[in-house]
Amino acid sequence: MSEILTQGKPFNEEIWSAAECLSRDEIQALQLTRLRETVARVKDVPLYKDFFQREKISPESIRTLDDIRRLPFTTKAQLRENYPLNYLTVPREKLVRVHGSSGTHGKPTFVGYTREDIYRWADLCARFLYAGMCRAEHLVQVSFGYGLFTGGFGLHYGIERIGASILPAASGNTPRQIMLLQDLKADGLIATPSYALNIAEVVCEMGIKPSELPLKYAHFGAEAWTEEMRVKIEDQLGIKAYNNYGLSEILGPGVSGECRFQNGMHIQEDEFFVECLNPETLEPVAPGESGELVITNLNKEAMSLLRYRTRDIAVMDDSPCPCGRTTRRMGRVMGRSDDMLVIRGVNVFPTQVEEAILKVEGVTPHFLMEVTRPKTQDELTVYVEIQPDFFSDKMSEMENLRSKILHEIHVITGLRVNLVIKEPKSLERFTGKAKRVIDKRDLHKIN
């Protein structure tokens, strides 16, 4: 794969900057041209062929960007129905790579790449990595899993595209990860935020001070995380932590990423058209309101998806960024519409609980939410873990801590919950995506 990348165009910061600093008119003109090309590319794909014929959709019928609303939505269920690769827009012999989802809910959904797709993917990852401190003279430790998961390889080749050195540590074996960080003096870290917390915790246990670590920055993705978690990770590891976003079905990492100002993730609008819609009505939300991200590929050869429903909930930001990039930005993902819990009529995301508990001194970022329906109403129990210095056998101290946690959860979610305080290091740690919710309700049962 490195051979493929070395045949690509050399690193050129000016070219990348130009693509990220187009005027709104230039961005929209480019998007319209590429949307028409995408429609031409997918017209014979089984996913869309019948719809196009029935609705008389053709490249010529796409006159403005608003015409994207004439195009069909694509869902993960449809990709599963066309398993394994019955939605490619090129012959299979043109593929140079196939990645896929984890398949935790059944068979994985696969995504194919041509040689040019790999070039573009590397460039897009390199853009946000460069915006977040990564430079050619750095060594970056990749603590993502390698395999079907797109994260490890996407970031790997983005780092390589910049010209930086890569330490492909993969995930797991945290003491060894820390040894590698120290001995090889890594400048950057790639991981999930929950695994970075795990690393920080072990660093503390080993008696290592943040100032003793060589790390300068980290790029985190693959799961939702809060600003409160960012502050905690930056403090415990002595770094700047940057957020990025992507998903396998669309490309992988590289859809958007933060610049040095950390005020939202710049969307790569030359490659993706992003809508923010009400997940119930599928109509655009008002500026500043949260909605589901719906993404259309604009320039992918092997597999272009129209209006893919990501189920990820976020807010869009059209305001200028001090860095000079002109692309729209998206806020951090609050959660997924299909992961959102409805508890007694109240919508709750795990990130809201994380935000609440991290406001309380003495509580670790490790938590678990358990939903049950013992009778006719839902009950939410939150398990939180206390830091060693705050865990006490004095009833009054623990009750005071409990009251503070319950208060913050109620302020942010509006819910009264059951709270179970756990001893230090008693909740599961994760090397990949963290699992925060156990739903024990039988939602098909009639009470």
Side-chain angles (χ1 to χ4, degrees):
M1 199 63 244
S2 293
E3 180 184 350
I4 290 178
L5 288 177
T6 55
Q7 294 174 8
K9 297 176 182 177
F11 172 83
N12 190 316
E13 182 187 347
E14 292 181 1
I15 292 176
W16 289 350
S17 298
E20 295 175 285
C21 299
L22 298 171
S23 70
R24 290 312 304 170
D25 286 345
E26 290 172 324
I27 290 172
Q28 291 174 353
L30 178 60
Q31 287 181 324
L32 181 57
T33 296
R34 289 185 168 177
L35 180 59
R36 289 170 176 156
E37 292 171 351
T38 297
V39 168
R41 191 158 49 243
V42 303
K43 63 183 176 61
D44 293 322
V45 173
L47 267 176
Y48 306 119
K49 185 175 182 179
D50 290 345
F51 183 94
F52 276 24
Q53 291 177 348
R54 184 172 64 253
E55 300 297 325
K56 296 181 171 53
I57 301 294
S58 67
E60 295 73 28
S61 70
I62 306 300
R63 297 183 176 88
T64 71
L65 286 176
D66 287 339
D67 286 331
I68 197 166
R69 299 183 66 184
R70 298 177 55 207
L71 302 179
F73 291 101
T74 309
T75 66
K76 192 158 191 168
Q78 289 174 303
L79 299 184
R80 288 195 177 110
E81 290 167 4
N82 286 271
Y83 179 90
L85 286 168
N86 198 30
Y87 34 74
L88 292 178
T89 51
V90 297
R92 286 183 62 142
E93 56 266 26
K94 288 194 174 183
L95 297 182
V96 298
R97 180 91 69 80
V98 175
H99 279 288
S101 65
S102 61
T104 53
H105 300 292
K107 289 184 177 180
T109 51
F110 292 113
V111 55
Y113 301 81
T114 66
R115 189 177 297 266
E116 285 299 318
D117 290 336
I118 294 293
Y119 291 155
R120 293 192 188 100
W121 191 19
D123 279 350
L124 292 173
C125 288
R127 280 188 197 174
F128 76 75
L129 288 164
Y130 191 88
M133 295 181 65
C134 185
R135 296 294 183 268
E137 64 269 22
H138 291 168
L139 171 68
V140 184
Q141 183 162 320
V142 180
S143 297
F144 266 156
Y146 283 76
L148 277 181
F149 172 58
T150 55
F153 282 97
L155 274 295
H156 182 111
Y157 290 110
I159 297 164
E160 187 174 78
R161 198 75 171 91
I162 288 174
S165 303
I166 302 166
L167 178 59
S171 59
N173 196 343
T174 305
R176 181 172 176 270
Q177 297 271 352
I178 295 167
M179 180 195 73
L180 294 173
L181 285 173
Q182 290 184 299
D183 293 352
L184 291 170
K185 302 189 184 311
D187 301 279
L189 173 68
I190 306 295
T192 62
S194 56
Y195 189 49
L197 277 173
N198 195 356
I199 291 174
E201 186 175 64
V202 177
V203 163
C204 182
E205 292 172 355
M206 295 171 68
I208 302 169
K209 297 178 181 178
S211 60
E212 296 173 343
L213 289 174
L215 283 176
K216 301 180 180 70
Y217 60 88
H219 287 266
F220 300 137
E223 63 186 19
W225 56 305
T226 61
E227 191 63 27
E228 287 74 16
M229 186 183 284
R230 190 210 301 263
V231 171
K232 188 170 286 289
I233 292 173
E234 288 186 336
D235 179 62
Q236 292 182 351
L237 292 178
I239 60 172
K240 294 280 283 185
Y242 297 95
N243 199 5
N244 69 82
Y245 174 76
L247 61 162
S248 296
E249 294 83 1
I250 290 297
L251 177 77
V255 173
S256 65
E258 286 184 323
C259 66
R260 67 184 186 277
F261 290 97
Q262 299 174 303
N263 60 353
M265 293 175 277
H266 290 271
I267 298 170
Q268 315 275 24
E269 291 191 277
D270 54 330
E271 297 283 337
F272 310 99
F273 189 89
V274 181
E275 303 170 79
C276 190
L277 308 181
N278 182 307
E280 300 298 326
T281 66
L282 297 180
E283 293 296 323
V285 299
E289 288 187 4
S290 62
E292 179 183 335
L293 301 179
V294 175
I295 305 179
T296 298
N297 288 109
L298 294 178
N299 204 25
K300 195 162 185 290
E301 287 186 340
M303 177 181 159
S304 293
L305 297 184
L306 302 176
R307 308 189 81 190
Y308 183 73
R309 294 194 60 182
T310 68
R311 304 290 182 177
D312 292 325
I313 304 296
V315 175
M316 300 293 287
D317 186 354
D318 295 337
S319 65
C321 182
C323 75
R325 291 173 178 81
T326 56
T327 50
R328 293 191 301 162
R329 304 191 305 282
M330 55 175 279
R332 60 178 65 252
V333 173
M334 300 163 56
R336 291 176 55 82
S337 60
D338 49 3
D339 283 347
M340 181 181 72
L341 295 171
V342 181
I343 310 295
R344 300 190 294 276
V346 178
N347 298 341
V348 183
F349 289 102
T351 51
Q352 292 176 294
V353 173
E354 177 182 284
E355 178 185 354
I357 66 174
L358 288 179
K359 290 181 179 294
V360 181
E361 186 181 10
V363 180
T364 76
H366 306 287
F367 69 98
L368 182 66
M369 301 164 62
E370 183 179 85
V371 191
T372 58
R373 184 175 290 173
K375 294 182 180 178
T376 59
Q377 282 196 325
D378 295 333
E379 295 290 339
L380 174 60
T381 300
V382 179
Y383 298 85
V384 299
E385 191 180 286
I386 306 304
Q387 294 176 10
D389 292 345
F390 286 81
F391 197 79
S392 172
D393 56 4
K394 292 183 179 179
M395 184 75 70
S396 60
E397 293 181 3
M398 298 310 323
E399 282 302 320
N400 183 45
L401 190 58
R402 176 191 299 274
S403 296
K404 290 179 180 178
I405 298 169
L406 287 170
H407 172 74
E408 293 296 343
I409 292 176
H410 181 255
V411 166
I412 291 177
T413 68
L415 283 174
R416 302 290 183 186
V417 305
N418 303 314
L419 183 69
V420 178
I421 292 181
K422 303 288 288 183
E423 296 180 1
K425 306 264 317 191
S426 59
L427 292 178
E428 183 180 357
R429 272 40 174 178
F430 299 91
T431 58
K433 294 184 180 182
K435 183 178 180 180
R436 300 299 189 195
V437 179
I438 297 177
D439 194 340
K440 293 185 175 181
R441 296 173 294 181
D442 183 356
L443 297 181
H444 299 286
K445 182 179 178 181
I446 300 176
N447 292 299

